[in-house]
Amino acid sequence: MSNAEWTQRGNDVFIGTYNRFPVMMVKGDGCRLWDEDGKEYLDFLAGIAVCSLGHCHPAVTKAVVKQAESLVHVSNLFHTRPQIELAELLTRNCFADRVFMANSGAEANEAALKLARIHSGPGRYEVISLTGSFHGRTLATVAATGQSKFHEGFEPLPQGFVHAEFGDLEAVKNLIGPQTCAILCEPLQGEGGVRPLEKEYLQGLRDLCDTHGLLLIFDEIQTGLGRTGKLFAYQHTGVVPDIMTSAKALGNGLPIGAMLTTDSIASSLVPGTHASTFGGNPVAAAAGVAVLQEMLSEGFLQSVQEKGAYFTARLEKLAGQFPHLATGVRGQGLLLGLALTEQGIRHGADIVQQMFANGVLINFAGNCVLRFVPPLIVNKEEIDQVVDILARIFSDIQ
Ligand SMILES: *Cc1c(COP(=O)(O)O)cnc(C)c1O
């Protein structure tokens, strides 16, 4: 069967929540994917910042197979070795002392929101998040998400969420009241268009939280696990949150999320207050252990910073060559966005399609940037290839 036939079958059976590319992917290896018709792609989407070690990384595959041969699931009524090892690896390498394991980013954020409320006590329930943010698709995380396009049709949304204008510290301050329990943000907005927050701004949030007794929650679902060149993006800034969420790259493609916090805040969640049947499942957790071991190995994060700098320089040069289409580069490490001009934005979706036709997978984020989130194991030749193809497409637009 062909891509076209499979696409037809898929379109006949799925609820239409996605506009999928008309291909069926059948194989992945490193930064490359192959579809049903044998066409090869350079994958600079990495399953939406998930397959950070590349597709079918041998250490992850080995860990998954080995775990699946001995124990696949027992629930959280029992301990399992991969889950303990993963929690230890996470807490040893960030501010947190304790972990709650979930299956996805939205679930990790739900756990964070529940913790913020129960820890803060009666009457203190409201969370301030930022415009342009993205925190997930469950009702509470959609309410936390600061983009109205994700709210439409789903009202009334759960109460207790307000949004401050991105980057405006005064706006956050003005929203704080006796009902406020937490401030939630991504240190660098991903879905919202690769928009970084200044170190000073994040420190300002920290100070507001300290002054008013609020919890600072960092959503590092996209920025975490090496994506920005540190294990977590907050580690570039010196601003330490009270609660942090992780998911996406944590299992290199296996579904797993985590909510992390300190001993004293964690003590507010006691048996019966929160749970997940699958959370931290042994197979997904075994993948997570392999991911962290690889990322913490000598030189790995340093190489992400170097390749990020190289990629940034190449994209900046491209922006300089096509100033009517692109204005410059945003982001950090290998979470990069090429910001487009108004004319560029009109071509944004078409550029992504042209890249796809040329065998390169990227996307158009926040309706303003071409987003590049390649596997962190990408090499300079692959970066060159992608920039060269993009340059050809840009010059065709002229
Ligand atoms: C992807 C993402 C989420 C949602 O994660 P899911 O696993 O899709 O639920 C939440 N926050 C951020 C910052 C994300 O990038």
Side-chain angles (χ1 to χ4, degrees):
M1 291 235 297
S2 66
N3 278 320
E5 288 165 300
W6 281 109
T7 296
Q8 186 59 54
R9 278 175 69 176
N11 288 346
D12 284 346
V13 76
F14 290 123
I15 293 174
T17 50
Y18 301 105
N19 251 328
R20 293 177 212 254
F21 287 95
V23 293
M24 186 174 76
M25 294 301 184
V26 292
K27 186 177 155 58
D29 183 11
C31 296
R32 277 155 217 280
L33 277 174
W34 286 268
D35 72 17
E36 174 74 1
D37 296 346
K39 182 173 168 184
E40 185 179 304
Y41 301 84
L42 250 178
D43 184 7
F44 273 43
L45 256 182
I48 317 185
V50 165
C51 303
S52 283
L53 296 182
H55 295 283
C56 301
H57 187 280
V60 178
T61 300
K62 195 173 155 208
V64 165
V65 169
K66 187 165 165 247
Q67 186 59 40
E69 282 170 347
S70 57
L71 185 67
V72 171
H73 177 80
V74 290
S75 87
N76 285 306
L77 298 175
F78 307 93
H79 286 289
T80 68
R81 180 176 171 158
Q83 201 184 102
I84 292 169
E85 288 180 349
L86 178 57
E88 286 175 350
L89 275 167
L90 284 167
T91 54
R92 272 188 211 132
N93 289 285
C94 74
F95 73 95
D97 309 305
R98 292 180 179 272
V99 186
F100 176 86
M101 297 281 187
N103 309 286
S104 67
E107 279 179 69
N109 280 342
E110 286 273 348
L113 295 168
K114 284 182 72 177
L115 173 56
R117 284 191 179 185
I118 201 167
H119 182 73
S120 303
R124 299 182 66 205
Y125 55 87
E126 196 168 81
V127 174
I128 302 170
S129 57
L130 306 187
T131 58
S133 61
F134 181 79
H135 298 296
R137 300 293 206 135
T138 61
L139 280 169
T141 58
V142 147
T145 293
Q147 301 187 61
S148 55
K149 68 175 179 188
F150 294 112
H151 300 165
E152 278 154 26
F154 299 110
E155 299 91 350
L157 293 173
Q159 291 186 356
F161 298 93
V162 288
H163 305 108
E165 186 62 32
F166 178 87
D168 181 352
L169 208 53
E170 260 327 281
V172 177
K173 205 169 159 186
N174 291 336
L175 287 172
I176 296 173
Q179 75 289 357
T180 311
C181 71
I183 300 172
L184 163 66
C185 75
E186 304 152 80
L188 160 59
Q189 288 189 348
E191 300 304 308
V194 192
R195 298 201 297 169
L197 286 163
E198 299 297 326
K199 198 189 259 195
E200 293 69 29
Y201 175 88
L202 294 172
Q203 184 60 51
L205 293 184
R206 178 73 271 175
D207 294 343
L208 283 175
C209 286
D210 293 343
T211 305
H212 297 274
L214 312 177
L215 297 168
L216 182 60
I217 309 174
F218 281 170
D219 176 344
E220 291 239 26
I221 289 164
Q222 186 155 158
T223 53
L225 284 321
R227 179 52 59 189
T228 68
K230 296 261 190 200
L231 195 60
F232 294 100
Y234 86 85
Q235 292 165 336
H236 290 284
T237 68
V239 180
V240 181
D242 300 299
I243 301 174
M244 179 175 73
T245 52
S246 177
K248 288 210 161 88
L250 188 52
N252 205 51
L254 273 89
I256 185 164
M259 187 273 282
L260 300 112
T261 190
T262 61
D263 271 326
S264 70
I265 298 167
S267 65
S268 294
L269 286 174
V270 297
T273 52
H274 197 49
S276 168
T277 299
F278 291 121
N281 164 282
V283 177
V289 170
V291 165
L292 279 170
Q293 283 171 344
E294 203 63 34
M295 287 185 179
L296 293 167
S297 68
E298 183 74 32
F300 185 92
L301 294 170
Q302 182 61 34
S303 83
V304 175
Q305 295 186 12
E306 283 161 17
K307 290 181 288 192
Y310 178 77
F311 199 176
T312 302
R314 286 234 44 194
L315 288 172
E316 287 285 8
K317 188 158 172 236
L318 183 75
Q321 286 162 345
F322 298 92
H324 57 296
L325 292 176
T327 59
V329 184
R330 297 206 292 251
Q332 198 169 20
L334 288 169
L335 172 48
L336 295 175
L338 182 63
L340 301 180
T341 61
E342 257 175 58
Q343 188 192 342
I345 287 169
R346 282 199 296 278
H347 293 279
D350 185 46
I351 293 167
V352 170
Q353 287 299 328
Q354 300 265 353
M355 291 291 274
F356 172 76
N358 281 277
V360 178
L361 307 179
I362 61 166
N363 79 344
F364 188 42
N367 217 31
C368 58
V369 301
L370 299 173
R371 180 176 52 175
F372 305 88
V373 281
L376 305 179
I377 53 139
V378 69
N379 62 39
K380 287 183 179 172
E381 291 69 41
E382 289 160 335
I383 291 170
D384 285 340
Q385 245 178 307
V386 166
V387 177
D388 291 345
I389 291 170
L390 187 58
R392 280 213 307 275
I393 291 168
F394 273 13
S395 70
D396 285 347
I397 291 173
Q398 282 189 301

